[in-house]
Amino acid sequence: MSPRLQGIEEFVAAVEAGSFARAAERLHVTRSAVAKCIARLEARLGTRLFLRTTRSQSLTEEGHGYYERCRRVLAELDAAEATTDAARSTAAGLVRLSMPAMLGRLKVGPLLLALARRHPGLSLELSFNDRRVDLVEDGLDLAIRSGELADSAELVARPVGVQWMVLCAAPAYLAERGRPGSVAALGASSSTSSLHEAVLYARDGQISPWRFRDAEGRLVEVALPSRLRCDSAEVLLEAAVGGMGLARLPAWLAADALAAGTLVRVFEEPRPFGFELNVIRSRSRYLPHKTRVVVDWLAEHLPPLLAAR
C-alpha cells in the first residue's frame, strides 16, 4: 500500500462508525490497531483529526475537510475494484496459504480442492504446519490460525469458525484411574499425587494449560502432569485412544473415535470452550479477486465442518 493511503481507511471507518471500537469490528482488526493507524496518520499530516475524550470523539475542523476528501477517494477506489471484479466470472492466479497441519489435511485441504475445481484458473500453494508464520517473509497470501492473535496494525483477520474442545479418554484409562465428574474435580486431581495424567499439545517448547468455562462463563485453567507432549494433534489422538492419559482435543478431530467408543467424554462441560479460527492476510486497501474468493469460500464452508461440540 502506498504510504499516502495508510491509515485513510481506518480514519474513514472511525468517522462513519462513531468510535474506534466499532471501526475495528468493521475492519476485522483490534481497537488499538485502528488507534495506532490514525495516530500515525495524524503524525504524518502534522495535525489532529479527532478531539477525543474518555466518553466521546469528534472531528476537528481539519478532520472534517480531510474526511470529505478521503471518503470520495475511497468511493472511487471501491467503484474501480467493483468494475474490475465484475469483469471476472472466475478466480485466476496463484494463492499461497498456510494452515495447521491436521486441520488442513482433514478439513481445509478438501474444501480448497473443491474450490479449485470450480475455478480452473486458480492455482494453490498449500503449506501444512503448526508453526507461526510471517506472511511477508514467507511469501504467503493467507494463513489460518487458531486462538488469540497478536495485536497488529499490519494484519486483517476474518473468523472462519471455532474449534470447540472436548475432554476425552479411553474407557480402559478411566476404568483404571477413575472418572472426574467436573472441572473442579479435575483441578483437584492436578494437585494430588498424579491421580490423572494428560497428553498435551506443545509448540516451540510452550505448553498451555487446559481451558474450560464454568457455569457462569468464567475461564478456568487446569494443568496436569504429562509423559507425552508434542505438536501433532494426530499423535495426541492416538495416544489418548491407547490409554496414555486424558486429552483435550478439537471436537471435530475426536468425533470418529467418540462415535466408535474408543474415546469417551470425561464429563459434560457447563459451557463449551473453543478457540476461534481466523484467516489472516496482510493489510491492504486492494484485496485481489483470487484471494477474496478463497477467503469467502472458507468463511462460508468451514464453520459447519467444525460445528461439533
Side-chain angles (χ1 to χ4, degrees):
M1 179 187 295
S2 167
R4 297 186 67 187
L5 292 176
Q6 291 177 357
I8 288 179
E9 188 172 17
E10 291 82 359
F11 168 63
V12 170
V15 175
E16 295 178 347
S19 74
F20 287 7
R22 286 193 288 271
E25 292 175 2
R26 179 183 298 183
L27 297 173
H28 304 295
V29 298
T30 63
R31 183 194 179 284
S32 62
V34 171
K36 289 175 184 176
C37 285
I38 293 176
R40 286 196 291 264
L41 177 62
E42 290 179 323
R44 191 172 77 244
L45 297 173
T47 188
R48 294 186 66 183
L49 300 172
F50 285 104
L51 294 173
R52 292 183 287 274
T53 68
T54 56
R55 295 190 176 186
S56 66
Q57 70 178 38
S58 60
L59 286 171
T60 63
E61 183 177 350
E62 294 83 357
H64 276 290
Y66 192 65
Y67 164 71
E68 291 299 329
R69 290 172 174 79
C70 289
R71 182 180 59 81
R72 289 194 292 269
V73 168
L74 293 184
E76 288 295 326
L77 289 174
D78 288 339
E81 288 181 3
T83 300
T84 302
D85 284 349
R88 306 184 196 137
S89 57
T90 61
L94 174 63
V95 176
R96 297 180 176 88
L97 175 65
S98 171
M99 68 199 76
M102 192 74 173
L103 176 71
R105 289 197 300 270
L106 296 184
K107 300 297 182 180
V108 181
L111 275 183
L112 293 177
L113 294 179
L115 177 64
R117 288 192 292 269
R118 293 169 63 99
H119 298 271
L122 180 65
S123 299
L124 298 170
E125 186 175 302
L126 308 180
S127 175
F128 301 90
N129 65 78
D130 290 336
R131 70 180 180 86
R132 296 193 182 278
V133 298
D134 184 300
L135 294 179
V136 175
E137 188 173 302
D138 294 327
L140 296 167
D141 299 292
L142 301 168
I144 296 175
R145 286 296 172 258
S146 176
E148 297 178 1
L149 298 175
D151 186 12
S152 173
E154 309 304 322
L155 298 175
V156 176
R158 181 170 176 184
V160 289
V162 177
Q163 290 202 95
W164 300 104
M165 306 301 290
V166 295
L167 181 67
C168 50
Y173 171 88
L174 294 176
E176 177 185 350
R177 298 291 189 100
R179 188 170 193 158
S182 66
V183 176
L186 181 66
S189 73
S190 69
S191 60
T192 64
S193 56
S194 65
L195 173 62
H196 284 286
E197 59 183 316
V199 293
L200 298 174
Y201 184 86
R203 182 175 59 194
D204 300 328
Q206 300 296 314
I207 302 172
S208 298
W210 287 343
R211 294 179 177 181
F212 300 85
R213 296 225 176 259
D214 64 16
E216 285 71 43
R218 293 184 297 256
L219 194 64
V220 178
E221 294 187 342
V222 175
L224 292 176
S226 173
R227 291 190 297 126
L228 175 65
R229 298 170 292 278
C230 69
D231 62 359
S232 168
E234 188 173 14
V235 171
L236 294 181
L237 174 64
E238 293 178 2
V241 170
M244 285 191 66
L246 305 176
R248 188 75 164 141
L249 299 171
W252 63 264
L253 177 59
D256 288 346
L258 291 171
T262 54
L263 287 179
V264 296
R265 289 177 181 260
V266 177
F267 51 75
E268 291 299 321
E269 299 179 25
R271 293 195 183 189
F273 175 84
F275 293 98
E276 188 173 76
L277 272 180
N278 288 278
V279 57
I280 61 174
R281 62 179 175 85
S282 296
R283 182 155 192 77
S284 173
R285 175 66 199 168
Y286 308 102
L287 180 62
H289 180 67
K290 61 182 181 179
T291 309
R292 182 184 294 112
V293 167
V294 172
V295 173
D296 289 346
W297 181 263
L298 292 174
E300 179 181 359
H301 294 282
L302 188 55
L305 301 182
L306 307 175
R309 297 190 183 186

